Amino acid sequence: MSAKAAQENQFEIQQTPQFEVMAAMLDVARNGVPTVAMLKRMIRRLASMGYNELWLYLEDLFEIPEEPYFGRERGRYSQTELHEVALYGDQFGVKIVPAVQTLAHVHNALKWDAHNAVKDTDDTLLVGAPATKTFLTHLLKAASAPFTTNKIHIGMDEAYQLGRGRYLDQNGFTDQTTLILDQLKLVVSLTQELGLKPYMWSDLWFTFASPKNEMYDPDVHFDADFKASLPPVGQVYWDYYHEDEQTYRDRFAQHFELSDDVVFAGGIWTWSALAPDQSKMLATVKAGLDAAKASGVRQVVATMWFDDGAEVPLSASWYGLQAFAAYQFHDQVTSATIDDEYALTQGEAPDFYKVLDQFDNFTAGVNVDADNVSKIVLYEDLLVQKYRQNLQAIDLEGRYQTLVATLGKLTVRPENRLTLTFYRQLAKTVLMKGRALTAVAQLQATTANDATAEAAVTAIATYQRELTALTGQFRAIWHQQRRGNGYEVIDVRLGGQLARCATVTWRIQEWQAGRDDLAELQEPLLPMDKFNNGVVGHGLYKQIVSACDLSF
């Protein structure tokens, strides 16, 4: 089709949609809040790919007039802004749907003393409290008012501490299934008063019913009486992790025991790393969507989460969104299908976006364990090298030399050039950081050797220059797409690395003068044992940067 577009000014393509609803879910609550202009850009992109809904995962990122601390200083959207976005989406046939939380994942609201009356644990609402009903009344009204649809997602996932905090102190032990059912009945009654059609995440029904406390336990089943006891709410099955189709088919069968209205949410893998995990995305999307078709699921959602600081640019998600969309219009989807449709709908070759997988994927196929090598190397401490043994399993130098060269040859459409520039600078920075880590580690085997010390100082200085350049690129790409709120976290992370360059250089010079023993380098070499099931490992910033607590 892309070839036809290059040769012909006008042509017609007829395709039959496989699903009634193909939605994207955009996480705006994990530190990075897209500007209204970026949301509009996202809507245009989604419309060109064939999406007909955009779910905004909001948490506390919207204005509640009665709750002034809700979303305070986090870049929340006003009611006027959300209405503007909703009307804009309608122009392109993309319905904007609010997605909120009405049970857990509310820690950003509950950290304010103003919300103490509705707090069970740091992350979970207090079920049964009159104040909670009032709070939810305000929340649901404000969450639905700006939009032109009656559809709403009410969350209710991962509430593992439900009833284990103040609720336990005040009421004693209560079974968690009872508590979530009580909360759901309240929330659904409030949505009914507002004329809304609610959907929820389905995972806790399985977790609470499982003797192993296992999410989506394959041995859990629900009888007709339990299904009938649930208030009218759609069940959204989220699963971004399996590469085999049969697992999804089995889970869909279990979900239809809960509800006739089952939605599938797959993942674009934009989270907890510096670049999207494209191989994992392609494998899980294929398995999940093929199973959804075979199981009679009529609504599917491509989730774009941005856990751990929203370090992945929004514009890095374009290829994943197109890959997901391909299953809407084709019975059989191949990599060529996705690439051809991407070129047709987006006006650029997909090569750059596919290369992003090389930042972290050091396997021969799929990065199943979501190793985030580039993030590990970027935030690994120069002296306290927790991943040193893990990184010995890969050829970081060779991979990143090739990656820098490859990114220097690729092109994208003008509005995405900053994204390409950012990732090329990231590759250069990680390459130089890897060299600096190696140079510093070599000091362990020598005693105040001037040549070794000077090599380490030089490597750190080179890394520092590239990191300074990356800081400028990071700042530019963030503020091109997101509000300023949250970038202070990125400044702390990158600025901390720059400060460590200065400190470690000084420490090496002190070591040369005989006033420092660089004791950190004498720690026994052990593998990093957290999330270490992949080739190198997968770490969040706080797990990588130090073995000490960032705040306690």
Side-chain angles (χ1 to χ4, degrees):
M1 286 189 295
S2 57
K4 180 177 286 191
Q7 297 168 4
E8 301 181 27
N9 292 328
Q10 292 185 348
F11 59 93
E12 182 177 306
I13 298 171
Q14 292 188 358
Q15 296 173 319
T16 302
Q18 308 289 303
F19 305 101
E20 292 175 6
V21 170
M22 184 175 69
M25 172 178 269
L26 177 60
D27 174 9
V28 307
R30 302 290 174 68
N31 200 59
V33 185
T35 63
V36 169
M38 188 63 197
L39 289 179
K40 291 180 177 179
R41 180 181 170 193
M42 180 71 70
I43 288 167
R44 295 193 299 271
R45 283 269 189 164
L46 291 172
S48 72
M49 296 177 186
Y51 287 82
N52 52 14
E53 289 187 356
L54 170 60
W55 297 10
L56 292 182
Y57 180 75
L58 293 162
E59 284 192 8
D60 64 329
L61 265 298
F62 61 99
E63 174 190 13
I64 301 179
E66 301 89 347
E67 308 287 349
Y69 281 88
F70 190 80
R72 173 175 167 78
E73 297 181 340
R74 292 238 299 139
R76 67 188 173 202
Y77 296 111
S78 69
Q79 294 279 306
T80 300
E81 287 171 327
L82 290 176
H83 187 55
E84 178 184 345
V85 170
L87 293 179
Y88 192 82
D90 286 348
Q91 294 179 44
F92 291 86
V94 179
K95 188 65 65 177
I96 312 301
V97 178
V100 297
Q101 289 289 358
T102 58
L103 185 59
H105 284 298
V106 285
H107 62 279
N108 278 308
L110 295 181
K111 65 189 176 188
W112 298 104
D113 286 347
H115 298 140
N116 277 346
V118 300
K119 181 177 179 179
D120 180 5
T121 67
D122 287 344
D123 189 55
T124 310
L125 293 176
L126 183 58
V127 173
T132 299
K133 180 178 180 180
T134 301
F135 175 77
L136 289 173
T137 300
H138 296 160
L139 184 150
L140 291 167
K141 180 180 178 181
S144 59
F147 300 98
T148 60
T149 179
N150 69 341
K151 193 172 188 176
I152 188 169
H153 194 293
I154 58 175
M156 291 200 164
D157 59 314
E158 299 180 317
Y160 302 127
Q161 297 303 310
L162 175 62
R164 301 297 191 255
R166 288 178 60 209
Y167 184 93
L168 182 64
D169 296 337
Q170 295 175 2
N171 304 285
F173 176 81
T174 303
D175 178 81
Q176 289 182 311
T177 298
T178 299
L179 290 176
I180 189 175
L181 189 55
D182 287 348
Q183 184 79 342
L184 180 62
K185 288 177 178 178
L186 168 64
V187 172
V188 171
S189 70
L190 295 175
T191 62
Q192 289 174 334
E193 291 176 10
L194 293 167
L196 303 176
K197 179 175 176 53
Y199 287 81
M200 68 177 291
W201 302 118
S202 64
D203 55 293
L204 285 182
W205 301 121
F206 295 85
T207 303
F208 292 162
S210 169
K212 298 172 286 188
N213 204 44
E214 178 182 327
M215 183 169 62
Y216 298 135
D217 185 338
D219 297 325
V220 167
H221 293 278
F222 304 95
D223 59 29
D225 289 340
F226 184 81
K227 182 177 182 178
S229 73
L230 298 179
V233 57
Q235 299 291 334
V236 184
Y237 162 43
W238 59 273
D239 190 339
Y240 331 122
Y241 301 104
H242 296 94
E243 294 82 35
D244 65 295
E245 183 179 334
Q246 190 58 50
T247 294
Y248 294 95
R249 287 190 181 222
D250 293 343
R251 297 298 87 76
F252 284 130
Q254 290 173 283
H255 275 76
F256 281 114
E257 296 173 3
L258 274 175
S259 173
D260 295 330
D261 191 1
V262 175
V263 181
F264 172 63
I268 303 303
W269 279 93
T270 52
W271 56 88
S272 299
L274 300 173
D277 185 349
Q278 304 287 41
S279 62
K280 178 87 170 176
M281 176 273 296
L282 289 169
T284 57
V285 163
K286 176 175 176 54
L289 291 181
D290 282 347
K293 291 178 185 179
S295 302
V297 174
R298 303 308 305 149
Q299 300 186 64
V300 294
V301 186
T303 62
M304 293 169 281
W305 301 110
F306 292 98
D307 303 34
D308 198 31
E311 291 174 317
V312 175
L314 292 161
S315 51
S317 66
W318 302 144
Y319 186 73
L321 288 167
Q322 185 66 65
F324 196 95
Y327 290 84
Q328 168 73 314
F329 301 108
H330 299 275
D331 290 325
Q332 300 295 323
V333 175
T334 66
S335 59
T337 307
I338 299 167
D339 292 355
D340 197 45
E341 294 216 336
Y342 185 88
L344 174 68
T345 64
Q346 303 310 308
E348 62 183 0
D351 302 24
F352 161 61
Y353 302 94
K354 297 173 72 173
V355 165
L356 294 178
D357 194 61
Q358 297 302 305
F359 275 86
D360 298 316
N361 186 2
F362 284 79
T363 73
V366 178
N367 184 9
V368 172
D369 296 300
D371 278 17
N372 56 352
V373 176
S374 57
K375 185 164 182 166
I376 286 171
V377 174
L378 182 64
Y379 293 131
E380 175 85 310
D381 190 76
L382 288 164
L383 282 176
V384 187
Q385 297 188 21
K386 301 195 305 182
Y387 287 86
R388 180 179 167 193
Q389 183 166 323
N390 299 50
L391 289 167
Q392 290 176 0
I394 61 172
D395 178 14
L396 186 76
E397 174 80 13
R399 164 64 63 81
Y400 271 82
Q401 282 185 334
T402 302
L403 189 53
V404 170
T406 300
L407 289 170
K409 299 174 184 176
L410 295 174
T411 59
V412 292
R413 56 195 275 187
E415 69 181 60
N416 294 323
R417 285 175 186 159
L418 187 56
T419 311
L420 172 56
T421 303
F422 165 76
Y423 274 109
R424 185 164 190 267
Q425 185 57 48
L426 175 61
K428 292 169 67 177
T429 305
V430 172
L431 175 61
M432 296 308 168
K433 176 64 174 293
R435 292 177 180 175
L437 289 168
T438 299
V440 172
Q442 289 173 347
L443 298 177
Q444 181 185 31
T446 187
T447 55
N449 182 293
D450 287 344
T452 307
E454 290 307 316
V457 169
T458 298
I460 293 171
T462 304
Y463 161 56
Q464 190 171 8
R465 286 194 296 271
E466 297 297 344
L467 180 60
T468 300
L470 177 66
T471 300
Q473 292 293 332
F474 214 140
R475 183 186 303 126
I477 190 70
W478 180 286
H479 289 89
Q480 181 197 61
Q481 302 180 7
R482 292 174 164 126
R483 292 181 168 176
N485 303 76
Y487 194 75
E488 69 275 11
V489 172
I490 307 301
D491 269 338
V492 167
R493 293 181 180 185
L494 299 180
Q497 291 298 306
L498 288 168
R500 284 299 283 168
C501 288
T503 296
V504 174
T505 298
W506 176 79
R507 292 277 305 281
I508 292 171
Q509 292 166 345
E510 289 291 287
W511 174 71
Q512 288 181 285
R515 294 188 293 268
D516 196 320
D517 59 2
L518 299 180
E520 295 96 321
L521 290 178
Q522 307 310 315
E523 285 273 359
L525 191 60
L526 295 172
M528 175 59 173
D529 70 345
K530 185 138 184 102
F531 303 116
N532 192 24
N533 50 326
V535 178
V536 172
H538 178 97
L540 302 177
Y541 169 77
K542 66 181 180 180
Q543 295 157 350
I544 301 167
V545 74
S546 177
C548 300
D549 292 324
L550 295 183
S551 180
F552 189 78

